[in-house]
Amino acid sequence: DEAIRLSDMAHQMGTKAQDLIKALFGMGVMATINQSLDIDTASLLASEFGYEVENVSFDELEFLAPSEVDKEEDLKSRPPVVTIMGHVDHGKTSLLDAIRLSNVTDGEAGGITQHIGAYHVQTARGEIVFLDTPGHEAFTTMRMRGAQVTDIVILVVAADDGVMEQTREAISHSKAAGVPIVVAVNKIDKEGANPDNVKRELAEQGLVPEDWGGDTIFAHVSAKQKTGLDELLEMVLLQAEVLELKANPDKPGRGHIVEARLDKGRGPVGTMLITEGTINQGDSFVSGVHFGKVRAMFDDQGKKLKSAGPAMPVEIQGFDGLPEAGDELFVVEEEKVARRIAQSRAMKQREKILSSKSKVTLESFLASK
Ligand code: GDP
Ligand code: MG
Protein backbone atom coordinates (compact mmCIF):
# COMPACT_ATOMS: atom_id res chain seq x y z
CA ASP A 1 0.00 0.00 0.00
CA GLU A 2 1.16 3.50 -0.82
CA ALA A 3 2.10 5.33 2.36
CA ILE A 4 4.79 7.66 3.56
CA ARG A 5 6.21 8.14 7.01
CA LEU A 6 5.66 11.62 8.36
CA SER A 7 9.32 11.94 9.33
CA ASP A 8 10.45 10.93 5.82
CA MET A 9 8.10 13.43 4.32
CA ALA A 10 9.38 16.23 6.51
CA HIS A 11 12.89 15.32 5.47
CA GLN A 12 12.02 15.35 1.78
CA MET A 13 10.26 18.68 2.10
CA GLY A 14 12.96 20.21 4.25
CA THR A 15 10.46 21.11 6.95
CA LYS A 16 10.25 20.25 10.61
CA ALA A 17 8.13 17.23 11.41
CA GLN A 18 6.52 19.32 14.13
CA ASP A 19 5.24 21.78 11.52
CA LEU A 20 3.68 18.95 9.54
CA ILE A 21 2.02 17.60 12.68
CA LYS A 22 0.62 21.06 13.37
CA ALA A 23 -0.69 21.42 9.83
CA LEU A 24 -2.27 17.98 10.03
CA PHE A 25 -3.91 18.95 13.27
CA GLY A 26 -5.36 21.97 11.47
CA MET A 27 -6.79 19.54 8.92
CA GLY A 28 -8.37 17.56 11.71
CA VAL A 29 -5.83 14.73 11.62
CA MET A 30 -3.95 13.68 14.74
CA ALA A 31 -0.53 12.34 13.84
CA THR A 32 2.80 11.45 15.39
CA ILE A 33 6.27 11.63 13.91
CA ASN A 34 6.45 7.90 13.25
CA GLN A 35 3.07 7.72 11.66
CA SER A 36 2.52 6.53 8.11
CA LEU A 37 0.34 8.83 6.06
CA ASP A 38 -1.73 7.55 3.19
CA ILE A 39 -0.95 9.09 -0.15
CA ASP A 40 -4.03 11.32 -0.19
CA THR A 41 -3.37 12.83 3.21
CA ALA A 42 0.28 13.24 2.32
CA SER A 43 -0.43 15.04 -0.92
CA LEU A 44 -2.98 17.31 0.70
CA LEU A 45 -0.48 18.09 3.41
CA ALA A 46 2.21 18.79 0.84
CA SER A 47 -0.07 21.18 -1.01
CA GLU A 48 -0.59 23.09 2.24
CA PHE A 49 3.11 23.83 2.10
CA GLY A 50 2.97 24.88 -1.52
CA TYR A 51 4.36 21.67 -2.95
CA GLU A 52 3.18 20.36 -6.25
CA VAL A 53 2.30 16.76 -5.79
CA GLU A 54 3.45 14.36 -8.43
CA ASN A 55 2.03 11.08 -9.43
CA VAL A 56 -1.11 11.02 -7.34
CA SER A 57 -3.49 11.03 -10.23
CA PHE A 58 -6.14 8.55 -9.30
CA ASP A 59 -8.83 7.14 -11.45
CA GLU A 60 -11.45 5.44 -9.38
CA LEU A 61 -12.71 3.61 -12.44
CA GLU A 62 -9.53 1.55 -12.37
CA PHE A 63 -10.71 0.10 -9.12
CA LEU A 64 -14.20 -0.74 -10.25
CA ALA A 65 -15.35 -3.67 -12.28
CA PRO A 66 -16.45 -2.38 -15.69
CA SER A 67 -20.18 -1.91 -15.64
CA GLU A 68 -21.90 -4.03 -18.20
CA VAL A 69 -25.13 -3.28 -19.96
CA ASP A 70 -27.86 -5.42 -18.45
CA LYS A 71 -29.17 -8.21 -20.57
CA GLU A 72 -32.89 -8.06 -21.24
CA GLU A 73 -33.48 -11.37 -19.44
CA ASP A 74 -31.75 -10.08 -16.30
CA LEU A 75 -34.18 -7.19 -15.94
CA LYS A 76 -37.02 -7.72 -13.46
CA SER A 77 -39.91 -5.32 -13.03
CA ARG A 78 -39.70 -3.10 -9.99
CA PRO A 79 -42.17 -0.92 -8.09
CA PRO A 80 -42.58 2.75 -9.06
CA VAL A 81 -41.05 5.48 -6.90
CA VAL A 82 -43.50 8.30 -6.31
CA THR A 83 -43.09 11.88 -5.04
CA ILE A 84 -46.05 13.94 -3.92
CA MET A 85 -46.00 17.60 -4.93
CA GLY A 86 -48.43 20.48 -4.84
CA HIS A 87 -49.24 23.87 -3.36
CA VAL A 88 -48.85 24.44 0.37
CA ASP A 89 -51.89 23.33 2.39
CA HIS A 90 -53.39 21.41 -0.49
CA GLY A 91 -52.94 18.23 1.51
CA LYS A 92 -49.59 16.58 0.59
CA THR A 93 -48.77 15.50 4.13
CA SER A 94 -52.35 14.44 4.84
CA LEU A 95 -52.42 12.36 1.69
CA LEU A 96 -49.11 10.63 2.47
CA ASP A 97 -50.29 9.88 5.98
CA ALA A 98 -53.66 8.61 4.80
CA ILE A 99 -52.06 6.32 2.21
CA ARG A 100 -49.58 5.01 4.72
CA LEU A 101 -52.11 4.40 7.48
CA SER A 102 -54.63 2.69 5.24
CA ASN A 103 -51.97 0.37 3.87
CA VAL A 104 -50.22 -0.93 6.94
CA THR A 105 -50.77 -4.62 7.49
CA ASP A 106 -52.47 -5.83 10.67
CA GLY A 107 -49.21 -6.80 12.29
CA GLU A 108 -47.90 -3.31 11.86
CA ALA A 109 -51.01 -1.39 12.84
CA GLY A 110 -50.43 0.46 16.07
CA GLY A 111 -46.74 -0.29 15.81
CA ILE A 112 -44.13 2.38 15.61
CA THR A 113 -43.89 3.80 12.14
CA GLN A 114 -40.30 4.56 11.33
CA HIS A 115 -39.58 7.80 9.59
CA ILE A 116 -36.75 7.00 7.22
CA GLY A 117 -37.61 9.38 4.37
CA ALA A 118 -39.29 6.84 2.16
CA TYR A 119 -41.69 3.98 2.57
CA HIS A 120 -43.39 1.36 0.52
CA VAL A 121 -46.98 0.30 0.47
CA GLN A 122 -48.43 -2.98 -0.67
CA THR A 123 -51.67 -2.64 -2.59
CA ALA A 124 -53.81 -5.37 -4.07
CA ARG A 125 -52.38 -4.51 -7.48
CA GLY A 126 -48.75 -4.13 -6.50
CA GLU A 127 -46.16 -2.25 -4.53
CA ILE A 128 -45.52 1.49 -4.60
CA VAL A 129 -42.62 3.35 -3.01
CA PHE A 130 -43.22 6.85 -1.70
CA LEU A 131 -40.60 9.44 -0.95
CA ASP A 132 -42.02 11.05 2.12
CA THR A 133 -40.25 14.34 1.86
CA PRO A 134 -43.04 16.03 -0.02
CA GLY A 135 -42.31 19.25 -1.78
CA HIS A 136 -40.31 20.66 -4.56
CA GLU A 137 -37.14 21.33 -2.70
CA ALA A 138 -36.32 17.70 -2.11
CA PHE A 139 -37.14 16.92 -5.72
CA THR A 140 -35.01 19.71 -7.17
CA THR A 141 -32.13 19.24 -4.72
CA MET A 142 -31.92 15.59 -5.64
CA ARG A 143 -32.06 16.43 -9.31
CA MET A 144 -29.41 19.10 -9.02
CA ARG A 145 -27.16 16.45 -7.55
CA GLY A 146 -27.84 14.25 -10.50
CA ALA A 147 -30.20 11.92 -8.77
CA GLN A 148 -33.36 11.17 -10.62
CA VAL A 149 -35.16 8.71 -8.41
CA THR A 150 -38.78 9.70 -8.95
CA ASP A 151 -40.72 7.79 -11.57
CA ILE A 152 -44.11 9.40 -11.08
CA VAL A 153 -45.29 12.63 -9.45
CA ILE A 154 -48.64 12.80 -7.72
CA LEU A 155 -49.76 16.40 -8.07
CA VAL A 156 -52.11 17.32 -5.24
CA VAL A 157 -54.56 20.12 -6.02
CA ALA A 158 -57.17 21.19 -3.49
CA ALA A 159 -60.59 21.11 -5.11
CA ASP A 160 -61.65 24.28 -3.32
CA ASP A 161 -58.55 26.24 -4.24
CA GLY A 162 -57.46 25.15 -7.69
CA VAL A 163 -54.17 25.74 -9.44
CA MET A 164 -51.83 27.96 -7.45
CA GLU A 165 -48.25 29.17 -7.76
CA GLN A 166 -46.59 26.03 -6.37
CA THR A 167 -48.93 23.88 -8.46
CA ARG A 168 -47.47 25.51 -11.56
CA GLU A 169 -43.96 25.14 -10.16
CA ALA A 170 -44.52 21.45 -9.52
CA ILE A 171 -45.74 21.00 -13.08
CA SER A 172 -42.69 22.69 -14.55
CA HIS A 173 -40.28 20.73 -12.33
CA SER A 174 -41.93 17.46 -13.30
CA LYS A 175 -41.89 18.37 -16.97
CA ALA A 176 -38.23 19.39 -16.81
CA ALA A 177 -37.45 16.03 -15.27
CA GLY A 178 -39.61 14.19 -17.77
CA VAL A 179 -41.61 12.61 -14.98
CA PRO A 180 -45.28 11.84 -15.67
CA ILE A 181 -47.92 13.39 -13.42
CA VAL A 182 -50.96 11.76 -11.89
CA VAL A 183 -53.36 14.39 -10.53
CA ALA A 184 -54.99 13.92 -7.14
CA VAL A 185 -57.85 16.38 -6.79
CA ASN A 186 -57.98 16.55 -3.00
CA LYS A 187 -60.48 17.91 -0.43
CA ILE A 188 -63.30 16.62 -2.56
CA ASP A 189 -65.34 16.45 0.68
CA LYS A 190 -65.29 20.21 1.16
CA GLU A 191 -68.29 22.35 0.51
CA GLY A 192 -66.60 24.65 -1.98
CA ALA A 193 -65.05 21.74 -3.87
CA ASN A 194 -65.05 22.31 -7.62
CA PRO A 195 -63.16 19.50 -9.36
CA ASP A 196 -64.23 20.67 -12.82
CA ASN A 197 -62.60 23.99 -12.18
CA VAL A 198 -59.39 22.18 -11.24
CA LYS A 199 -59.58 20.18 -14.46
CA ARG A 200 -60.05 23.29 -16.54
CA GLU A 201 -57.17 25.11 -14.86
CA LEU A 202 -54.86 22.13 -15.21
CA ALA A 203 -55.84 21.65 -18.85
CA GLU A 204 -54.67 25.24 -19.39
CA GLN A 205 -51.32 24.11 -17.97
CA GLY A 206 -51.13 21.29 -20.47
CA LEU A 207 -52.47 18.56 -18.21
CA VAL A 208 -55.56 17.55 -20.15
CA PRO A 209 -57.70 14.88 -18.45
CA GLU A 210 -58.39 11.62 -20.23
CA ASP A 211 -62.12 12.21 -20.37
CA TRP A 212 -61.42 15.44 -22.22
CA GLY A 213 -59.29 13.65 -24.79
CA GLY A 214 -55.96 14.19 -23.07
CA ASP A 215 -53.65 11.71 -21.40
CA THR A 216 -53.44 12.95 -17.82
CA ILE A 217 -54.92 10.68 -15.19
CA PHE A 218 -57.08 12.37 -12.55
CA ALA A 219 -58.31 10.88 -9.27
CA HIS A 220 -60.71 12.49 -6.82
CA VAL A 221 -59.67 12.01 -3.22
CA SER A 222 -60.25 13.17 0.29
CA ALA A 223 -57.18 12.70 2.45
CA LYS A 224 -59.32 13.68 5.41
CA GLN A 225 -62.11 11.17 4.87
CA LYS A 226 -59.73 8.65 3.26
CA THR A 227 -61.83 8.27 0.15
CA GLY A 228 -60.59 7.62 -3.36
CA LEU A 229 -57.19 6.46 -2.14
CA ASP A 230 -57.38 2.96 -3.62
CA GLU A 231 -58.39 4.42 -6.98
CA LEU A 232 -55.50 6.87 -6.82
CA LEU A 233 -53.00 4.11 -6.13
CA GLU A 234 -54.50 2.05 -8.91
CA MET A 235 -54.01 4.97 -11.30
CA VAL A 236 -50.40 5.29 -10.17
CA LEU A 237 -49.81 1.61 -10.88
CA LEU A 238 -51.49 1.95 -14.27
CA GLN A 239 -49.14 4.79 -15.08
CA ALA A 240 -46.22 2.67 -13.83
CA GLU A 241 -47.18 -0.18 -16.17
CA VAL A 242 -46.88 2.17 -19.10
CA LEU A 243 -43.37 3.08 -17.96
CA GLU A 244 -42.28 -0.59 -17.82
CA LEU A 245 -39.96 -0.01 -14.88
CA LYS A 246 -37.26 -2.65 -14.66
CA ALA A 247 -33.94 -3.22 -12.95
CA ASN A 248 -31.37 -5.97 -12.63
CA PRO A 249 -31.34 -7.24 -9.04
CA ASP A 250 -28.42 -9.64 -9.58
CA LYS A 251 -25.44 -7.36 -9.28
CA PRO A 252 -23.77 -5.21 -6.64
CA GLY A 253 -26.22 -2.68 -5.23
CA ARG A 254 -26.36 0.94 -6.23
CA GLY A 255 -28.75 3.78 -5.46
CA HIS A 256 -29.20 7.24 -4.01
CA ILE A 257 -29.28 8.67 -0.54
CA VAL A 258 -32.66 10.28 0.09
CA GLU A 259 -32.16 11.26 3.70
CA ALA A 260 -29.38 11.19 6.27
CA ARG A 261 -29.05 12.03 9.91
CA LEU A 262 -26.69 11.67 12.80
CA ASP A 263 -28.13 9.30 15.39
CA LYS A 264 -26.84 9.72 18.93
CA GLY A 265 -26.39 6.05 19.53
CA ARG A 266 -25.90 4.67 16.06
CA GLY A 267 -23.81 7.33 14.35
CA PRO A 268 -24.49 8.41 10.78
CA VAL A 269 -27.54 6.73 9.27
CA GLY A 270 -28.70 7.14 5.73
CA THR A 271 -31.79 6.07 3.85
CA MET A 272 -31.07 4.97 0.37
CA LEU A 273 -33.31 4.06 -2.46
CA ILE A 274 -31.81 1.18 -4.36
CA THR A 275 -31.93 1.75 -8.10
CA GLU A 276 -30.30 -1.48 -9.21
CA GLY A 277 -28.61 -4.55 -7.86
CA THR A 278 -28.86 -5.90 -4.35
CA ILE A 279 -27.38 -4.52 -1.15
CA ASN A 280 -26.33 -7.07 1.45
CA GLN A 281 -25.39 -6.74 5.04
CA GLY A 282 -21.60 -6.56 5.22
CA ASP A 283 -21.20 -4.93 1.77
CA SER A 284 -18.54 -2.23 1.45
CA PHE A 285 -19.66 0.94 -0.25
CA VAL A 286 -18.78 4.45 -1.33
CA SER A 287 -21.19 7.37 -1.04
CA GLY A 288 -19.98 10.81 -2.02
CA VAL A 289 -16.80 11.46 -0.06
CA HIS A 290 -17.71 8.77 2.44
CA PHE A 291 -17.31 5.04 2.60
CA GLY A 292 -18.52 2.33 4.88
CA LYS A 293 -19.68 -1.18 5.42
CA VAL A 294 -23.33 -2.09 5.83
CA ARG A 295 -23.31 -2.82 9.54
CA ALA A 296 -27.08 -3.05 9.77
CA MET A 297 -29.95 -2.44 7.39
CA PHE A 298 -33.64 -1.81 8.12
CA ASP A 299 -36.80 -1.36 6.13
CA ASP A 300 -39.41 1.37 6.68
CA GLN A 301 -41.06 -0.72 9.39
CA GLY A 302 -37.84 -0.97 11.34
CA LYS A 303 -37.40 -4.59 10.36
CA LYS A 304 -33.83 -5.77 10.08
CA LEU A 305 -32.83 -6.90 6.60
CA LYS A 306 -30.05 -9.13 5.32
CA SER A 307 -30.48 -7.96 1.74
CA ALA A 308 -32.62 -5.61 -0.34
CA GLY A 309 -33.22 -5.12 -4.06
CA PRO A 310 -34.33 -2.46 -6.57
CA ALA A 311 -36.68 0.35 -5.52
CA MET A 312 -36.55 -0.66 -1.87
CA PRO A 313 -35.97 2.14 0.61
CA VAL A 314 -33.54 0.97 3.29
CA GLU A 315 -31.93 2.62 6.24
CA ILE A 316 -28.24 1.84 6.46
CA GLN A 317 -25.78 2.07 9.33
CA GLY A 318 -22.04 1.91 8.89
CA PHE A 319 -21.01 5.18 7.22
CA ASP A 320 -17.71 6.79 8.19
CA GLY A 321 -19.40 10.20 8.01
CA LEU A 322 -22.72 11.81 7.24
CA PRO A 323 -23.78 11.19 3.63
CA GLU A 324 -25.77 13.79 1.71
CA ALA A 325 -29.20 13.51 0.16
CA GLY A 326 -28.80 13.00 -3.56
CA ASP A 327 -25.40 11.35 -3.29
CA GLU A 328 -25.02 8.09 -5.06
CA LEU A 329 -24.12 5.01 -3.03
CA PHE A 330 -22.51 2.01 -4.70
CA VAL A 331 -21.15 -1.26 -3.48
CA VAL A 332 -17.51 -2.15 -4.17
CA GLU A 333 -15.77 -5.45 -3.68
CA GLU A 334 -13.37 -4.50 -0.91
CA GLU A 335 -13.42 -2.08 1.96
CA LYS A 336 -9.90 -1.03 1.00
CA VAL A 337 -11.13 0.12 -2.38
CA ALA A 338 -14.08 1.93 -0.85
CA ARG A 339 -11.77 3.79 1.49
CA ARG A 340 -9.37 4.67 -1.34
CA ILE A 341 -12.10 6.09 -3.57
CA ALA A 342 -13.72 8.07 -0.75
CA GLN A 343 -10.39 9.51 0.37
CA SER A 344 -9.47 10.53 -3.14
CA ARG A 345 -12.82 12.23 -3.55
CA ALA A 346 -12.48 13.98 -0.20
CA MET A 347 -9.07 15.22 -1.19
CA LYS A 348 -10.29 16.57 -4.50
CA GLN A 349 -13.15 18.30 -2.71
CA ARG A 350 -10.76 19.90 -0.22
CA GLU A 351 -8.45 21.02 -2.99
CA LYS A 352 -11.40 22.64 -4.68
CA ILE A 353 -12.33 24.44 -1.47
CA LEU A 354 -8.73 25.53 -0.92
CA SER A 355 -8.34 26.87 -4.44
CA SER A 356 -11.68 28.69 -4.29
CA LYS A 357 -10.59 30.21 -0.98
CA SER A 358 -7.34 31.49 -2.40
CA LYS A 359 -9.22 32.95 -5.36
CA VAL A 360 -11.52 34.84 -3.05
CA THR A 361 -8.53 36.16 -1.16
CA LEU A 362 -6.83 37.30 -4.33
CA GLU A 363 -9.93 39.03 -5.59
CA SER A 364 -10.58 40.81 -2.34
CA PHE A 365 -6.94 41.79 -2.28
CA LEU A 366 -7.23 43.34 -5.73
CA ALA A 367 -10.48 45.02 -4.81
CA SER A 368 -8.92 46.58 -1.75
CA LYS A 369 -6.15 48.20 -3.78
P1 GDP B 1 -49.61 20.27 2.81
O1 GDP B 1 -49.10 21.63 3.18
O2 GDP B 1 -49.84 20.17 1.34
O3 GDP B 1 -48.77 19.15 3.36
O4 GDP B 1 -51.08 20.15 3.44
P2 GDP B 1 -51.55 19.39 4.75
O5 GDP B 1 -51.60 17.94 4.56
O6 GDP B 1 -50.77 19.90 5.90
O7 GDP B 1 -53.06 19.90 4.84
C1 GDP B 1 -53.40 21.26 4.99
C2 GDP B 1 -54.73 21.38 5.66
O8 GDP B 1 -55.75 20.83 4.83
C3 GDP B 1 -54.81 20.62 6.99
O9 GDP B 1 -55.54 21.40 7.89
C4 GDP B 1 -55.56 19.37 6.63
O10 GDP B 1 -56.29 18.85 7.70
C5 GDP B 1 -56.49 19.85 5.52
N1 GDP B 1 -56.84 18.79 4.60
C6 GDP B 1 -55.99 17.97 3.94
N2 GDP B 1 -56.65 17.11 3.16
C7 GDP B 1 -57.97 17.38 3.31
C8 GDP B 1 -59.18 16.84 2.76
O11 GDP B 1 -59.19 15.90 1.97
N3 GDP B 1 -60.35 17.41 3.16
C9 GDP B 1 -60.40 18.44 4.03
N4 GDP B 1 -61.59 18.94 4.35
N5 GDP B 1 -59.27 18.97 4.57
C10 GDP B 1 -58.09 18.46 4.23
MG1 MG C 1 -46.97 19.25 4.45
Side-chain angles (χ1 to χ4, degrees):
D1 237 351
E2 295 158 284
I4 182 167
R5 250 162 54 123
L6 190 141
S7 54
D8 292 340
M9 191 172 159
H11 181 72
Q12 281 179 29
M13 286 168 60
T15 39
K16 280 191 223 140
Q18 209 50 44
D19 290 339
L20 294 191
I21 292 171
K22 253 191 238 161
L24 280 171
F25 187 76
M27 288 157 54
V29 179
M30 301 287 264
T32 61
I33 188 157
N34 288 318
Q35 190 149 342
S36 286
L37 302 174
D38 62 62
I39 198 77
D40 293 334
T41 309
S43 40
L44 182 60
L45 181 59
S47 70
E48 293 260 294
F49 286 81
Y51 278 82
E52 272 289 319
V53 182
E54 276 176 71
N55 197 24
V56 292
S57 66
F58 171 78
D59 185 359
E60 59 186 56
L61 289 176
E62 283 173 25
F63 288 82
L64 303 172
S67 61
E68 283 167 28
V69 178
D70 294 310
K71 289 191 213 86
E72 188 58 37
E73 66 259 32
D74 293 334
L75 296 174
K76 308 263 160 28
S77 56
R78 62 161 179 86
V81 179
V82 174
T83 299
I84 296 190
M85 300 212 268
H87 196 69
V88 63
D89 282 345
H90 279 199
K92 298 179 293 294
T93 305
S94 306
L95 186 61
L96 267 166
D97 289 348
I99 290 169
R100 184 172 205 176
L101 284 173
S102 57
N103 283 280
V104 289
T105 59
D106 288 345
E108 296 153 10
I112 307 155
T113 42
Q114 302 284 107
H115 174 89
I116 68 166
Y119 62 90
H120 88 283
V121 297
Q122 181 72 54
T123 77
R125 288 188 59 142
E127 281 175 83
I128 305 176
V129 176
F130 284 91
L131 293 183
D132 75 357
T133 33
H136 315 170
E137 225 171 292
F139 189 81
T140 42
T141 310
M142 297 277 288
R143 249 175 45 85
M144 266 163 47
R145 301 182 66 88
Q148 168 82 44
V149 294
T150 302
D151 299 308
I152 295 168
V153 162
I154 293 182
L155 179 65
V156 180
V157 187
D160 61 338
D161 207 18
V163 171
M164 303 296 283
E165 190 188 336
Q166 287 161 282
T167 316
R168 283 188 285 270
E169 265 173 41
I171 294 170
S172 69
H173 287 320
S174 310
K175 278 189 179 159
V179 177
I181 293 173
V182 171
V183 177
V185 182
N186 189 33
K187 307 198 187 186
I188 207 78
D189 61 287
K190 280 186 92 169
E191 203 159 316
N194 188 347
D196 272 342
N197 184 48
V198 174
K199 274 189 181 173
R200 193 176 47 74
E201 289 180 348
L202 283 175
E204 281 169 13
Q205 301 289 318
L207 297 177
V208 182
E210 283 184 313
D211 47 339
W212 290 6
D215 57 6
T216 304
I217 303 175
F218 280 64
H220 290 182
V221 300
S222 165
K224 193 178 183 181
Q225 301 190 332
K226 300 189 174 47
T227 55
L229 302 181
D230 289 345
E231 290 81 354
L232 172 66
L233 298 186
E234 214 173 302
M235 296 304 165
V236 167
L237 285 167
L238 264 176
Q239 181 66 61
E241 267 172 36
V242 175
L243 298 175
E244 293 187 65
L245 304 166
K246 286 178 180 172
N248 178 2
D250 297 316
K251 58 184 193 181
R254 170 181 286 276
H256 287 98
I257 303 290
V258 293
E259 201 175 282
R261 68 197 157 82
L262 208 52
D263 186 282
K264 260 192 191 158
R266 305 184 298 166
V269 250
T271 295
M272 80 172 288
L273 198 65
I274 302 168
T275 48
E276 56 176 359
T278 295
I279 303 255
N280 298 295
Q281 196 180 339
D283 279 352
S284 293
F285 61 79
V286 178
S287 180
V289 295
H290 297 291
F291 73 100
K293 207 178 178 92
V294 181
R295 197 156 15 96
M297 186 162 60
F298 301 89
D299 69 7
D300 54 343
Q301 307 293 335
K303 205 180 94 197
K304 203 164 179 180
L305 303 174
K306 283 229 147 54
S307 64
M312 292 321 291
V314 288
E315 190 180 71
I316 289 176
Q317 295 172 22
F319 293 85
D320 80 321
L322 195 62
E324 272 188 76
D327 274 347
E328 198 181 13
L329 184 155
F330 57 91
V331 168
V332 295
E333 231 160 83
E334 289 179 280
E335 191 172 0
K336 211 169 63 181
V337 171
R339 179 192 297 270
R340 185 89 166 80
I341 293 172
Q343 281 178 346
S344 151
R345 287 177 168 192
M347 187 186 75
K348 281 182 189 144
Q349 194 182 66
R350 279 199 221 144
E351 277 170 356
K352 227 185 251 168
I353 292 166
L354 285 177
S355 70
S356 71
K357 265 189 192 151
S358 58
K359 259 186 219 134
V360 168
T361 322
L362 181 64
E363 274 160 19
S364 46
F365 172 72
L366 291 174
S368 70
K369 279 192 100 174

